[in-house]
Amino acid sequence: MKSVICLLIAAGFGVLLQFEGVPHGLLLGSIIVTAVFASKTGIAPATPYGLGYIQVTLGIATGLMFEAWDSATASALLPSLGVLLICLTVQIALAGWWLTRGAGWNRTDALLAVYPGALAAVFDLLESEKASSKVIIVHLMRLLLITVLVSLLIPAQSAIAVADGDPLTTGMALTACAVIALSVLLGRLLLVIGVPAPFMLTAIIITAVFVKSGWLRGFHMPDWSLNLAALILGVRIGSRFQGLGFAELARHGRTAMVSVGMMIVVAAVFAEVAARWLGNDPLSLWLAYMPGAIETIAIVAFGGGLNVVFILTHHLSRMVLLHFAPALWVQVRRVKEEA
């Protein structure tokens, strides 16, 4: 019952902020309400299928934008992905150096703290490694700082131009249901083998295939589905403050803000350099080079009318690289040792 009350209050406060003109007020409002609720009561609202819903919804909405995707667009991404790799290396190295040298952390905690993975992957990693509370605080500050920063700097468009689509026929509804079912089914398979953000990845690919085949022509995601995704995401981020007192947050918050701030500044520097070199929008590049928070970035990019496909392609590439690179490195070392 308390979880339901928290969700209702979070939705009400978020709608109020949205009505008052606060950029992405639904997302920010739900974070604030849930964080206060979780820290005061020690109860985190239950959203068992929330992250899956967020990933499928944003994945389908992104996949629908592949209608204008062509080989020229894909080739233009490659240089930017190369810049992303260098940016990611500098971000991790600089923030890790600050935590070990400036804050006196041990190397293990520092590496766990600067891991810029997806929301689900990050907290799964922290739980499996039994990370200390200060590491969790760094990731909370990363999610919170990125969310607040991009939400305030990138105002939501009051009316996003949407092409007039055909009425939702029975055939179109069945096709959309098939996309959702396939995304969930294949996402579960990828989840078993440990692929990060599996439902978003499968939803993007399947929707893009359906769009290019002409099976989803004129279809677009309803606004309420994206608003619900923003609400659930805010609740999930805010619920992570469960069990963390304000004294503990204050003690480690400064260190977290400095390390996360370094990573965000590095992203801005690389975005400016890449914008001049590649001629792309620096704001889209900045969001593309952000250290994590793909779900938040996707919602803000949708609301701001930015190139979501371009931005999320970078984040998905980053997540896959971060997830599989350590395992690949271990396998290479084993082969060398056996040889």
Side-chain angles (χ1 to χ4, degrees):
M1 187 62 183
K2 289 184 177 180
S3 296
V4 175
I5 293 175
C6 178
L7 288 171
L8 291 176
I9 296 175
F13 186 62
V15 170
L16 177 62
L17 292 182
Q18 200 104 325
F19 178 76
E20 292 296 329
V22 177
H24 308 284
L26 188 59
L27 176 62
L28 296 177
S30 58
I31 291 176
I32 294 172
V33 170
T34 311
V36 173
F37 178 85
S39 61
K40 290 293 185 180
T41 65
I43 300 174
T47 54
Y49 302 105
L51 191 58
Y53 172 81
I54 293 169
Q55 291 186 5
V56 171
T57 301
L58 297 180
I60 293 175
T62 302
L64 292 172
M65 296 183 177
F66 274 82
E67 190 168 1
W69 184 267
D70 53 25
S71 58
T73 306
S75 61
L77 270 173
L78 295 178
S80 184
L81 290 175
V83 175
L84 170 65
L85 180 60
I86 302 173
C87 176
L88 184 62
T89 303
V90 175
Q91 286 174 327
I92 294 175
L94 184 60
W97 173 84
W98 155 252
L99 290 176
T100 54
R101 298 297 179 87
W105 288 25
N106 62 62
R107 184 173 299 178
T108 301
D109 282 347
L111 288 176
L112 287 173
V114 299
Y115 175 79
L119 183 63
V122 165
F123 288 112
D124 285 344
L125 177 64
L126 298 185
E127 290 172 4
S128 64
E129 296 293 332
K130 300 296 186 293
S132 63
S133 60
K134 63 183 181 181
V135 176
I136 296 175
I137 289 174
V138 171
H139 282 284
L140 284 174
M141 290 297 106
R142 177 173 63 86
L143 290 171
L144 193 59
L145 184 58
I146 291 176
T147 300
V148 173
L149 189 61
V150 300
S151 296
L152 295 179
L153 293 181
I154 306 173
Q157 295 183 356
S158 56
I160 300 174
V162 178
D164 292 333
D166 299 328
L168 185 61
T169 62
T170 302
M172 183 66 73
L174 291 175
T175 303
C177 289
V179 170
I180 295 173
L182 286 172
S183 300
V184 173
L185 178 61
L186 296 179
R188 292 288 298 178
L189 295 177
L190 294 183
L191 186 63
V192 171
I193 62 177
V195 175
F199 301 109
M200 180 179 287
L201 184 61
T202 54
I204 290 175
I205 294 174
I206 292 171
T207 305
V209 171
F210 274 55
V211 166
K212 283 299 187 181
S213 301
W215 299 334
L216 284 174
R217 183 172 291 109
F219 177 78
H220 64 272
M221 295 295 289
D223 290 339
W224 65 261
S225 63
L226 296 175
N227 289 333
L228 181 58
L231 173 64
I232 296 174
L233 177 59
V235 169
R236 290 186 66 88
I237 294 176
S239 65
R240 290 296 175 174
F241 285 84
Q242 179 188 19
L244 295 176
F246 286 106
E248 191 174 13
L249 288 171
R251 184 166 62 252
H252 300 299
R254 174 183 163 277
T255 300
M257 293 288 282
V258 172
S259 62
V260 174
M262 285 181 173
M263 300 180 82
I264 293 176
V265 170
V266 169
V269 172
F270 273 86
E272 182 63 27
V273 172
R276 297 186 179 184
W277 174 40
L278 303 174
N280 290 335
D281 173 33
L283 194 55
S284 295
L285 286 167
W286 183 52
L287 289 181
Y289 298 161
M290 275 287 182
I294 181 174
E295 294 87 358
T296 297
I297 295 296
I299 288 177
V300 172
F302 274 116
L306 300 176
N307 189 342
V308 183
V309 173
F310 177 84
I311 294 169
L312 291 193
T313 299
H314 286 75
H315 280 272
L316 289 171
S317 300
R318 170 182 53 79
M319 288 191 303
V320 171
L321 175 65
L322 287 173
H323 188 82
F324 289 108
L328 182 61
W329 175 253
V330 170
Q331 291 298 324
V332 171
R333 291 190 62 180
R334 285 180 180 177
V335 170
K336 289 183 177 180
E337 290 174 359
E338 291 175 358

